[in-house]
Amino acid sequence: MNRVRKTKLRLIGAMALSSTVMMGTAAVAASTASAFLLYTASIKLKGLNLVKWADVLSVLTLASLPSTSSGTKPSGSSTTTISTPGSATTVGSGSAATGVPAMKLGLNLTAPTTWMGNRSFLNLLSGWRLSNAQGGWSDMPEDRLDANKRLIDLRPGESGIRQMALPTRSLWGESVDIICRWQGTGSVGVGGTPAKNSRVSGKTLTFTFVPQGGASAWLRIASTSPSDPVRNADCREVDADPNATFDPTYLAEVKRYGVLRFMKWSYGGVEGNLPVRWETRAKQGDEIVAGPDGVALEYMIQLANELKADPWFCVPWNADDEYVRKFAELVRTRLDPSLKAYVEVSNEVWNYVYPVTTQALKEGKAAGLSSNDHMAMLSRYSQKTGQVMDIWSSVFAGQMQRIVRVAAVQTGAWNADFVLSFGDTAKKVDAVAIAPYFAANLSANALDTSAGVDAAFAGLANDVNDRIAESKKVKDVATKFGLRTITYEAGQHVLGSAPLDKMIALQRDARMTKLYTTYLTKWRDEVGDLMVMFADYGGGSQWGSWGQRDYVGQPLSEANKERAVELFRQSYITR
């Protein structure tokens, strides 16, 4: 396991706790200070550090990917490089019990990476890295790039590196022929153990990607002309549509959901809470699809338009008014008018794992919103939400049916009531969003025996009932204010120190499938409205198993959580 991989695994520990249900409503209402001291201590006891941010929330166990000799091709796929396994129809509205809103299904999208099986863009190339004369890699200095993120400055012995995502069919254990094309003047090659039989002809390069576990390949630019830089580089399967933006297998799987939450696509600006500026953000037409603040907003809108799915945007906390306004104006201009844009401020501002929470607390205390730290933080979140929604409401004046303004809170009636009761916040939002995960935190020996596994599932079943009951209490509060109750994240939340193989076996147990069916059905019958699952792709790690599938194109027969959701969708959501 290389150093970068180990670093990502360490980071993931803190992120896996991002939507924890460890802090109960009663604890928050009665003694906020002690509740959060215990919460922080619980993280440190696991040997984890609170981190500023991480670009992922789930870790794919790359060693578990099919090898060339043992790969399983998804049913319905063809022998061409790009294929669509099975058919999918867009989610519609499902009939529900009397007095309960019709249910819809949504999905959180993991950020595009080069090291797990969540390939979304057809162009396999990621952002820039710099290789020095000794062969070491580092972040690319910003002053080496022009305004369009093109590499214009290389020193002797240096190379510009663009790592590639894992090609879709390589995830199925198949070798794939890749073609890279570019414009400009320079020396271009390919590296990485999966890259075989590379050939350069003019401004194209071809090679065969031979799966090597989770190893990736990369494009190497050894020289470039400052006046005519290597640019518009694109690497994809030789028989892929050269003009398409997104991988068709990814599109076929994601289109089953009617709402797509792009929180993870906005990773640096949202989870990282980095400073953002509209003029320096990643944008369509840049050499790379994503920058430090996240994937270009234009691509989020494009994906929503192509799939006819409502997008859910998270606005960075540190965005100034100009950024917020231009964000809203771009959505108004480019989003299909038949779609609704859900808009939320940052992500889980109540959660002290994230740096935004501390910032909100400090801002709330400085503004004198409360003498209690936690209440000052929540009050500042309410205030900030109102300020952002005022701008969006102004931009969409006369078209308010096109947006859904969201206030997101930790699951609990007290939290919802506190946030909505601050000033006139309740009048500036349309929905309250929660994350009613059914959860367990298992000890090291919890799964050593069949009786222990039985007990774990019994506990999870009880928690399904508790989460739905708590969601109904939140709904009572939201209804009092005339608002919808929806989820921003949902699903299982199993953590612990049990051996990884046993944790993964728990996730793949048929009883987990049944729990998902029960969970979805109870939400549909007792709460209703939108449930947004977390998340699309990502396999098992010691810090959780968050993906509905392990990788793009994984057969439903091997993805029990996604299979449960799909069967539910076909039975109850579309008719």
Side-chain angles (χ1 to χ4, degrees):
M1 184 180 294
N2 61 37
R3 180 178 60 81
V4 174
R5 177 76 171 141
K6 288 180 179 177
T7 300
K8 288 182 179 292
L9 289 174
R10 286 197 298 269
L11 289 174
I12 212 67
M15 298 305 294
L17 292 165
S18 67
S19 299
T20 184
V21 293
M22 293 195 307
M23 296 178 289
T25 301
V28 173
S31 181
T32 56
S34 62
F36 290 111
L37 284 173
L38 288 171
Y39 177 58
T40 303
S42 71
I43 299 175
K44 291 182 177 178
L45 285 173
K46 292 177 180 292
L48 304 172
N49 295 316
L50 296 178
V51 297
K52 287 187 176 180
W53 71 288
D55 63 351
V56 292
L57 183 57
S58 59
V59 174
L60 179 66
T61 306
L62 292 172
S64 68
L65 289 176
S67 66
T68 304
S69 59
S70 62
T72 302
K73 183 187 298 184
S75 59
S77 63
S78 68
T79 56
T80 58
T81 301
I82 294 295
S83 61
T84 301
S87 61
T89 56
T90 304
V91 163
S93 297
S95 60
T98 302
V100 176
M103 183 176 174
K104 291 186 69 175
L105 285 170
L107 186 66
N108 277 269
L109 305 184
T110 50
T113 67
T114 61
W115 55 274
M116 62 183 283
N118 64 341
R119 188 258 187 105
S120 48
F121 287 85
L122 267 176
N123 186 356
L124 297 166
L125 296 176
S126 67
W128 287 107
R129 301 279 285 168
L130 180 68
S131 175
N132 61 30
Q134 292 73 42
W137 289 12
S138 62
D139 292 336
M140 178 67 71
E142 292 185 9
D143 61 3
R144 303 294 192 92
L145 307 176
D146 67 12
N148 297 111
K149 312 298 189 296
R150 297 167 177 168
L151 180 61
I152 57 173
D153 183 5
L154 276 177
R155 316 286 166 79
E158 295 179 339
S159 296
I161 302 295
R162 301 279 302 278
Q163 280 188 276
M164 300 184 195
L166 301 175
T168 303
R169 293 189 70 82
S170 76
L171 301 171
W172 311 341
E174 299 179 13
S175 296
V176 186
D177 290 330
I178 304 295
I179 183 168
C180 298
R181 305 176 178 92
W182 63 89
Q183 297 173 342
T185 303
S187 175
V188 180
V190 65
T193 56
K196 309 295 183 183
N197 305 320
S198 65
R199 297 180 181 179
V200 177
S201 176
K203 296 179 181 180
T204 65
L205 179 153
T206 58
F207 69 96
T208 300
F209 189 103
V210 180
Q212 306 285 322
S216 64
W218 55 83
L219 198 69
R220 180 186 297 273
I221 300 176
S223 66
T224 188
S225 168
S227 60
D228 185 29
V230 174
R231 62 191 182 275
N232 298 331
D234 183 291
C235 296
R236 63 183 68 197
E237 292 84 346
V238 295
D239 56 351
D241 183 344
N243 300 311
T245 301
F246 302 105
D247 174 51
T249 303
Y250 177 84
L251 292 176
E253 292 176 349
V254 171
K255 76 173 293 185
R256 291 178 163 93
Y257 294 85
V259 175
L260 305 178
R261 186 170 182 251
F262 288 102
M263 183 271 290
K264 283 288 177 184
W265 281 35
S266 303
Y267 44 85
V270 175
E271 285 183 302
N273 202 43
L274 298 175
V276 294
R277 294 167 52 207
W278 185 258
E279 59 268 26
T280 60
R281 70 184 180 90
K283 57 188 181 299
Q284 199 168 32
D286 284 350
E287 185 68 19
I288 56 179
V289 301
D293 49 346
V295 175
L297 174 59
E298 290 90 339
Y299 289 120
M300 302 182 202
I301 297 171
Q302 181 181 343
L303 181 62
N305 285 341
E306 286 192 23
L307 296 181
K308 301 300 180 185
D310 294 335
W312 183 319
F313 303 110
C314 293
V315 177
W317 186 272
N318 290 311
D320 60 19
D321 287 354
E322 179 188 19
Y323 188 110
V324 175
R325 181 170 296 280
K326 289 185 179 297
F327 191 130
E329 289 173 345
L330 188 62
V331 173
R332 183 192 62 192
T333 301
R334 294 205 176 194
L335 185 65
D336 184 332
S338 68
L339 301 176
K340 290 181 179 293
Y342 289 72
V343 57
E344 171 190 2
V345 175
S346 191
N347 170 67
E348 291 194 348
V349 178
W350 55 266
N351 189 340
Y352 285 79
V353 164
Y354 292 111
V356 67
T357 310
T358 300
Q359 181 179 345
L361 186 158
K362 291 179 179 179
E363 291 176 0
K365 292 296 287 291
L369 299 182
S370 175
S371 60
N372 177 280
D373 284 359
H374 188 62
M375 292 180 181
M377 177 272 294
L378 288 178
S379 297
R380 176 59 182 139
Y381 171 70
S382 298
Q383 183 185 66
K384 180 78 169 183
T385 294
Q387 292 168 347
V388 170
M389 299 312 168
D390 281 345
I391 295 174
W392 277 72
S393 298
S394 173
V395 170
F396 280 86
Q399 305 178 58
M400 292 297 290
Q401 77 282 358
R402 297 183 61 193
I403 61 173
V404 179
R405 301 162 298 174
V406 177
V409 301
Q410 183 187 9
T411 306
W414 182 89
N415 300 301
D417 193 68
F418 186 91
V419 168
L420 295 175
S421 296
F422 178 87
D424 56 355
T425 301
K427 296 180 180 178
K428 297 183 178 184
V429 298
D430 306 297
V432 177
I434 55 177
Y437 286 106
F438 58 97
N441 193 3
L442 303 174
S443 64
N445 59 359
L447 305 177
D448 285 353
T449 65
S450 59
V453 176
D454 292 344
F457 276 110
L460 287 169
N462 288 333
D463 205 51
V464 167
N465 293 328
D466 290 344
R467 293 296 86 201
I468 297 300
E470 193 63 42
S471 298
K472 291 168 68 176
K473 294 177 183 178
V474 173
K475 182 178 178 179
D476 288 341
V477 173
T479 300
K480 178 180 70 173
F481 288 100
L483 304 175
R484 295 168 60 187
T485 302
I486 61 180
T487 81
Y488 63 87
E489 293 173 16
Q492 60 76 37
H493 197 291
V494 180
L495 302 174
S497 53
L500 179 57
D501 60 337
K502 294 178 181 179
M503 294 285 279
I504 292 177
L506 186 83
Q507 293 285 338
R508 295 176 178 174
D509 193 295
R511 286 169 286 185
M512 182 62 76
T513 309
K514 293 180 181 179
L515 279 175
Y516 264 73
T517 300
T518 300
Y519 180 64
L520 291 162
T521 302
K522 289 181 72 68
W523 177 272
R524 174 182 179 269
D525 292 344
E526 300 180 38
V527 184
D529 215 320
L530 175 64
M531 174 172 272
V532 184
M533 310 306 296
F534 192 93
D536 52 3
Y537 302 101
S541 80
Q542 194 63 53
W543 298 281
S545 298
W546 304 102
Q548 293 292 111
R549 299 180 195 246
D550 290 350
Y551 55 88
V552 172
Q554 184 183 29
L556 284 175
S557 60
E558 299 175 8
N560 62 322
K561 289 180 286 189
E562 181 70 357
R563 183 172 69 251
V565 175
E566 175 61 8
L567 290 174
F568 177 86
R569 184 188 72 83
Q570 291 186 14
S571 298
Y572 296 108
I573 303 300
T574 57
R575 289 178 184 268

